[in-house]
């Protein structure tokens, strides 16, 4: 996979590799704050995911940089809008 790709591009690449090798399930490894979005992107592309025990019970915001939950939610909304608009413009 090329470096510097976004979540959607990485998932598209992973789906291509999975189809070529007849894989059915992907082990999803991501930074805990990014896990819900990564899982959602993969599932929308038809990738069945498995999240390792412990990662799916993590805090949904990045406590390392001390962001508030409200700020994290606003960032996620903006990211979803950004990726959605990119897909609409690409059509």
């Amino acid at each position: 996979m090329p470096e510097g790709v976004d979540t959607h591009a990485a998932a598209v690449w992973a789906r291509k590799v999975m189809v070529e090798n007849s894989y059915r399930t992907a082990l999803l490894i991501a930074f805990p704050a990014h896990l819900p979005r990564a899982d959602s992107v993969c599932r929308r592309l038809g990738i069945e995911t498995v999240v390792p025990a412990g990662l799916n019970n993590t805090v949904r915001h990045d406590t390392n940089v001390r962001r508030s939950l409200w700020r994290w939610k606003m960032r996620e909304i903006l990211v979803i809008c950004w990726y959605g608009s990119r897909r609409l413009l690409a059509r």
Side-chain angles (χ1 to χ4, degrees):
M1 177 174 65
E3 287 187 39
V5 298
D6 61 22
T7 304
H8 185 264
V12 167
W13 176 83
R15 183 180 65 184
K16 178 180 178 275
V17 170
M18 291 178 71
V19 168
E20 289 171 356
N21 293 284
S22 301
Y23 298 146
R24 294 181 301 176
T25 306
L27 181 64
L28 187 61
I29 306 291
F31 184 71
H34 185 64
L35 193 59
R37 185 177 345 131
D39 188 41
S40 175
V41 168
C42 288
R43 290 184 180 277
R44 275 187 265 131
L45 290 171
I47 299 172
E48 181 181 333
T49 60
V50 174
V51 178
L55 282 183
N56 55 356
N57 296 324
T58 58
V59 176
R60 297 298 191 204
H61 63 284
D62 188 352
T63 55
N64 292 330
V65 293
R66 303 185 195 285
R67 291 183 183 156
S68 69
L69 183 57
W70 179 86
R71 187 172 172 191
W72 178 81
K73 286 179 181 180
M74 292 305 297
R75 180 191 175 281
E76 289 298 301
I77 290 169
L78 291 172
V79 167
I80 290 167
C81 291
W82 167 254
Y83 284 115
S85 66
R86 285 181 52 192
R87 273 190 225 115
L88 285 175
L89 294 173
R91 291 182 185 177

